[in-house]
Amino acid sequence: MGINWNCVIHTLKSSDLVLEIVDARAPFSTRSEKLEKVIEKLGKNLVVVINKRDLAPENLVVEAHKKIMESVPCIFVSAKERRDIPHLRKIMNVHTPKSDNVRVCVVGYPNTGKSSIINVLAGKHVAGVAPVPGHTRGEQWIRISSKIMLLDTPGVIPWDEDISIEKGFGRPDKMKDIEDSVEDFIERLAKAKYSNIKELYGLSDEDLASGDVVGILAEKRGLLIKGGRPDLKRVSQRVVLDWNTGKIKAFVD
Ligand SMILES: Nc1nc2c(ncn2[C@@H]2O[C@H](COP(=O)(O)OP(=O)(O)OP(=O)(O)O)[C@@H](O)[C@H]2O)c(=O)[nH]1
Ligand SMILES: [Mg+2]
């Protein structure tokens, strides 16, 4: 997966406002500094939308919101629970010109909920949603009111960044060395400010310190390959899916 920056710049130029959708479970690492710099350079209005607030503790989301607000207008919502959507509409109105033909571009890492937010704003299912990062392929303009057109985009994926599961890079069927990434990811979640990883998977502190959490998980779930060895790949794919579908609740810096 990748991104064609020429296309992105062209699209941003034709927009009056850019909504950058980030994941409340990792609000800082799902912000794209590179993209924000481009938006600033083009002189476009930017609003950061922290989505999936239902998957992270309220106090930590509020703290992250406060921090982001120091530099950019920001709001937190849940597309799934349809929370704070009127507030999002209001903010969009404040940051767009008083014209009949306003264009708002929705960007962000894969799986952050761009299409879900568009559907909620449109009040009907107009954009495809899936727990598979990279689900939205082409760009499409969608009218959400007589005044505003929204542009759904594929996830914004700067070329030069590391693969990471919380940034929605994890297409479970495509990831190389998925078991190593998942081992690191679970260890990171265990040390995070908050995660439900221990309860969700029934893991003890010793399991988490073992360096082989993925193997332990496979055994716990009876996912074995020939010879009774743990099926590391299959269990890792399930963990990525649990992140993408929101079974894993967390707050990671
Ligand atoms: N819990 C929760 N899940 C959400 C929320 N918003 C979206 N999701 C889920 O997150 C997954 C990805 O949602 P999409 O709307 O397809 O995300 P996207 O950013 O358009 O993804 P790409 O098109 O792949 O870049 C889906 O399983 C959604 O149901 C939310 O507010 N809370
Ligand atoms: Mg999408």
Side-chain angles (χ1 to χ4, degrees):
M1 287 196 285
I3 189 167
N4 181 335
W5 276 101
N6 287 335
C7 263
V8 169
I9 288 168
H10 178 79
T11 306
L12 292 174
K13 275 187 180 163
S14 63
S15 307
D16 301 296
L17 168 67
V18 184
L19 298 181
E20 184 186 19
I21 316 300
V22 303
D23 188 325
R25 293 171 296 174
F28 301 110
S29 53
T30 52
R31 267 180 85 180
S32 170
E33 219 180 285
K34 190 168 173 179
L35 182 76
E36 288 185 21
K37 277 202 183 119
V38 174
I39 295 166
E40 196 186 341
K41 223 169 165 181
L42 293 173
K44 297 293 173 183
N45 286 335
L46 168 70
V47 172
V48 172
V49 180
I50 304 175
N51 185 35
K52 308 197 185 185
R53 60 171 293 188
D54 53 296
L55 298 181
E58 173 106 9
N59 61 325
L60 295 175
V61 176
V62 169
E63 234 176 70
H65 169 255
K66 216 166 141 189
K67 191 136 190 227
I68 295 173
M69 281 284 282
E70 286 170 11
S71 52
V72 192
C74 176
I75 170 177
F76 47 97
V77 305
S78 164
K80 185 175 176 194
E81 295 183 342
R82 292 175 160 62
R83 283 180 76 186
D84 305 297
I85 303 303
H87 191 190
L88 173 57
R89 279 189 222 279
K90 215 168 172 181
I91 287 246
M92 285 166 63
N93 270 322
V94 169
H95 292 277
T96 48
K98 306 237 167 309
S99 126
D100 283 344
N101 201 9
V102 170
R103 288 176 169 240
V104 179
C105 179
V106 183
V107 300
Y109 279 106
N111 205 59
T112 48
K114 300 176 292 299
S115 301
S116 301
I117 285 185
I118 289 172
N119 286 335
V120 173
L121 286 171
K124 56 185 176 206
H125 189 92
V126 282
V129 169
V132 181
H135 180 73
T136 302
R137 297 206 177 261
E139 296 180 342
Q140 61 165 332
W141 285 104
I142 293 158
R143 180 164 292 285
I144 60 151
S145 71
S146 55
K147 178 186 161 184
I148 297 180
M149 299 265 282
L150 280 185
L151 179 70
D152 191 12
T153 64
V156 171
I157 315 163
W159 290 110
D160 52 357
E161 294 204 27
D162 291 339
I163 285 179
S164 93
I165 293 165
E166 66 265 37
K167 283 180 180 168
F169 281 84
R171 252 198 98 110
D173 51 331
K174 297 269 163 65
M175 281 176 84
K176 266 199 200 153
D177 302 323
I178 187 170
E179 30 305 36
D180 294 343
S181 305
V182 168
E183 184 75 34
D184 291 348
F185 184 55
I186 293 180
E187 285 173 15
R188 216 146 23 92
L189 285 175
K191 289 186 202 133
K193 279 193 182 143
Y194 166 79
S195 83
N196 65 346
I197 203 85
K198 276 167 83 171
E199 308 87 75
L200 183 66
Y201 295 136
L203 294 166
S204 66
D205 288 335
E206 295 80 70
D207 294 337
L208 289 166
S210 68
D212 183 28
V213 193
V214 172
I216 292 170
L217 255 182
E219 277 174 14
K220 272 184 191 289
R221 298 202 158 185
L223 290 173
L224 305 171
I225 47 177
K226 266 189 208 148
R229 278 183 296 128
D231 190 340
L232 303 180
K233 203 169 217 92
R234 204 137 63 99
V235 78
S236 301
Q237 289 175 343
R238 293 208 183 162
V239 172
V240 174
L241 195 67
D242 288 345
W243 175 264
N244 292 341
T245 54
K247 266 196 194 155
I248 298 178
K249 297 185 179 192
F251 186 93
V252 290
D253 276 333

